[in-house]
């Protein structure tokens, strides 16, 4: 459960409004080394050194996948603009698309309120899921009764 | 990293197309006890008994928050249609909105390709974040240079 920690208050590119409009990154400054260090410092990795990262297609807002990042993966993503993760099954660096060609160009990285979840706004080439589906959440859906307003 | 497991192939309400269009739940059958059992059986909880759950506003597709569910929370969410989680900080059940009134009506529950992440499509009342923001990802954004197509 999110618990606000004053020590992780945003200091880089905060936005005061609560809209979720994708940033037009072309008009913004480049990511500096200082920006990268600040964001990494604010990220609260788990006991296993990993943080969950949600990849969302920046324009359609599809949730594509959830994967994990260690500090090295987060730094590489921030400095190269390409989605790089930590593969828990293989125990090492996983550059999305190295095998499939389905790379992710990362436009924006957001941290949640307590810094323990990353949200990536990406341009996903091809399917994000190794099954060939556009997203990892396309195949298995259950409608919930009683959940309508 | 998603690794397809034939034993968790979808058997409930699969969709063949890869679109992310929200389901018009009003036209679908109610969630049966069997549906709940099947979905819970396909969910791969971690060693700590928890699975990450992404809450997304069903129509605007904003990613609102990431929280955690144990089996009891997932069952309660499926059977009541209300977003219920497991609070890692408090070590127990957390029914979203009990304190704030900002409840989540859950319209659809999706599992990812290997069953270890849950995506909830919800109608969020008020702000999802305890800070008052609409989402937990509104306050801390870093634009990534080099991530443009």
């Amino acid at each position: 459960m999110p618990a606000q920690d004053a020590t992780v208050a945003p200091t880089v590119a905060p936005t005061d409004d609560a809209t979720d409009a994708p940033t037009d990154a072309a008009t913004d400054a480049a990511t500096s080394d200082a920006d990268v260090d600040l964001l990494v410092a604010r990220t609260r990795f788990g006991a296993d050194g990993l943080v969950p990262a949600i990849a969302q297609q920046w324009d359609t807002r599809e949730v594509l996948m959830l994967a994990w990042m260690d500090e090295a993966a987060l730094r590489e993503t921030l400095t190269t603009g390409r989605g790089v993760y930590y593969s828990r099954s293989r125990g090492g660096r996983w550059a999305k698309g190295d095998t499939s060609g389905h790379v992710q160009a990362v436009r924006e990285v957001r941290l949640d309120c307590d810094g323990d979840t990353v949200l990536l706004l990406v341009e996903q080439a091809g399917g994000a899921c190794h099954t060939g589906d556009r997203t990892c959440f396309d195949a298995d859906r259950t409608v919930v009764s009683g959940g309508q307003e």
Side-chain angles (χ1 to χ4, degrees), chain A residues 12-13 23-32 35 78 107:
Chain A
V12 176
T23 301
D24 181 359
T27 64
D28 287 275
T31 319
S32 72
D35 288 344
L78 286 163
R107 301 170 65 99

Side-chain angles (χ1 to χ4, degrees), chain A residues 23-131:
Chain A
T23 301
D24 181 359
T27 64
D28 287 275
T31 319
S32 72
D33 290 348
D35 288 344
V36 172
D37 287 343
L38 280 170
L39 188 136
V40 170
R42 289 200 304 278
T43 305
R44 293 165 65 172
F45 297 93
D48 55 4
L50 304 178
V51 65
I54 303 163
Q56 182 180 30
Q57 174 66 29
W58 71 277
D59 50 359
T60 65
R61 299 186 180 178
E62 294 162 289
V63 174
L64 299 169
M65 53 184 266
L66 182 140
W68 298 81
M69 288 182 165
D70 60 1
E71 180 177 327
L74 179 56
R75 282 189 180 277
E76 185 172 349
T77 295
L78 286 163
T79 53
T80 66
R82 178 174 172 195
V84 177
Y85 301 93
Y86 179 90
S87 167
R88 296 188 300 175
S89 57
R90 293 189 310 222
R93 175 182 176 276
W94 165 36
K96 176 73 178 164
D98 264 358
T99 304
S100 64
H102 297 169
V103 299
Q104 291 174 340
V106 178
R107 301 170 65 99
E108 195 172 327
V109 175
R110 301 184 187 177
L111 274 180
D112 76 348
C113 51
D114 55 359
D116 64 5
T117 303
V118 174
L119 176 64
L120 307 171
L121 300 188
V122 308
E123 174 66 35
Q124 172 69 56
C129 190
H130 72 293
T131 62

